[in-house]
Amino acid sequence: MKQLLNFIPLVIFFIFLTMYDVFVGVQALMIAATVCFLIVLIIYRKIDKVELISYLMVMVFGGFTLYTREPNVIKWKVTIINFLFASGLLISQYGFKKNLLQKLLGKEIQLDSVIWNRLNILWIAFFMTCGLFSLGATYYTTDEFFWIFKVFILPGASLLLSLISGIYIYKNMDKDTDNK
């Protein structure tokens, strides 16, 4: 349910972007993101850090896009979020010797630390790749392609990697773990 609520503002943005322009789309995105944020808060009585950061970035980059009337500003949000996620996973693992994926999912899923580290590296590479593609799409493709990329291709790629990660986790759950 949460994932659907988080996807709705993107769809609304895309509809208004297609019908009007990027600035009307950004206004619709900001309104829809606020409504969905409040719905999540009311239903779950809690907002995850990732959801809060994402919401704040929509508000900051959306507001700055509307203020400056520069459409590329809202595009930077995608790039920055991907690089932030990659950096967070990378710094936590190699700087602080803590695996954020394991910290987030380790209570429900018991895996060997080698498996957690492989998953972490996979997601770091994924977020870095998405950030680089997003940066390239911002400056070297048409606006139409960028928005299709942002609204459909990136979420599809995230879903695909989540499924691949789930299969990898499932295949490795039966092995002895050093997390017990």
Side-chain angles (χ1 to χ4, degrees):
M1 170 98 171
K2 267 188 180 181
Q3 297 303 331
L4 178 62
L5 281 172
N6 291 331
F7 189 67
I8 289 171
L10 286 177
V11 173
I12 290 172
F13 168 76
F14 191 75
I15 291 168
F16 279 84
L17 169 76
T18 306
M19 290 173 50
Y20 301 101
D21 64 18
V22 68
F23 303 109
V24 175
V26 167
Q27 289 172 350
L29 172 67
M30 292 172 74
I31 292 167
T34 300
V35 169
C36 289
F37 184 83
L38 292 172
I39 290 170
V40 168
L41 185 61
I42 290 167
I43 291 173
Y44 297 99
R45 300 194 192 284
K46 182 183 175 199
I47 298 293
D48 296 331
K49 287 180 186 176
V50 172
E51 290 170 329
L52 178 62
I53 290 168
S54 183
Y55 173 72
L56 292 175
M57 288 190 78
V58 165
M59 293 294 121
V60 168
F61 282 89
F64 199 58
T65 298
L66 296 175
Y67 177 74
T68 62
R69 305 305 284 179
E70 170 55 56
N72 281 342
V73 172
I74 196 68
K75 293 178 181 179
W76 298 338
K77 174 192 161 285
V78 180
T79 304
I80 290 171
I81 281 181
N82 280 295
F83 286 145
L84 281 175
F85 286 162
S87 298
L89 292 172
L90 187 69
I91 291 168
S92 69
Q93 179 158 345
Y94 295 105
F96 298 107
K97 306 293 184 216
K98 296 193 189 282
N99 186 312
L100 283 181
L101 290 179
Q102 183 177 6
K103 194 169 185 154
L104 289 171
L105 302 172
K107 293 175 186 161
E108 294 89 27
I109 302 170
Q110 297 296 314
L111 295 171
D112 186 84
S113 62
V114 171
I115 303 301
W116 282 118
N117 290 339
R118 287 179 186 160
L119 282 168
N120 200 50
I121 291 167
L122 177 66
W123 280 94
I124 290 168
F126 174 75
F127 287 128
M128 289 299 292
T129 302
C130 288
L132 291 171
F133 275 108
S134 177
L135 192 60
T138 298
Y139 294 105
Y140 300 110
T141 67
T142 64
D143 285 343
E144 293 78 19
F145 176 80
F146 177 84
W147 297 118
I148 290 169
F149 171 77
K150 192 317 186 193
V151 174
F152 299 108
I153 296 172
L154 279 181
S158 294
L159 179 62
L160 180 61
L161 186 58
S162 295
L163 290 172
I164 291 169
S165 296
I167 292 167
Y168 184 69
I169 288 169
Y170 180 75
K171 285 185 173 185
N172 288 284
M173 284 178 71
D174 294 332
K175 295 182 178 181
D176 254 358
T177 63
D178 59 23
N179 297 337
K180 290 184 181 179

